[in-house]
Amino acid sequence: MSLEKIVAEAMAGRPLEMKEAFAEEIESRIQDRLEEKYVEIMEAKKDDMEDEDEEDDEEDDEDEDEDEDDK
């Protein structure tokens, strides 16, 4: 549903249909925003995990260098 339908129903004097159209539009917008937010969070989480993996690799390399220096 669109805002145009909500306005049309309101101007036609059909409050029940207007309420239903409004509810559908709000639900649709909320669902869209939740999906966008989910994608953002998952991308951020993926980036964080990649950063942690890189840090772990760097720490492992440093540990190996220290082990070689001890020999």
Side-chain angles (χ1 to χ4, degrees):
M1 297 282 165
S2 66
L3 293 176
E4 291 84 15
K5 175 154 178 131
I6 295 168
V7 171
E9 297 296 345
M11 294 188 71
R14 295 186 294 242
L16 185 57
E17 288 84 358
M18 181 189 71
K19 180 183 176 207
E20 290 172 357
F22 180 76
E24 289 176 14
E25 181 67 21
I26 293 298
E27 186 176 318
S28 173
R29 289 181 182 205
I30 290 171
Q31 184 65 33
D32 290 345
R33 183 61 185 128
L34 286 173
E35 289 173 5
E36 290 173 10
K37 190 68 175 173
Y38 176 79
V39 169
E40 290 172 12
I41 290 170
M42 297 314 296
E43 288 176 354
K45 187 175 183 180
K46 180 181 173 187
D47 291 343
D48 288 345
M49 291 178 73
E50 289 175 356
D51 290 345
E52 288 176 7
D53 287 345
E54 289 176 6
E55 290 173 4
D56 288 345
D57 290 344
E58 290 173 5
E59 289 175 3
D60 289 344
D61 290 344
E62 290 174 4
D63 289 344
E64 289 175 6
D65 290 343
E66 289 175 5
D67 290 342
E68 289 176 5
D69 291 342
D70 291 341
K71 291 181 181 177

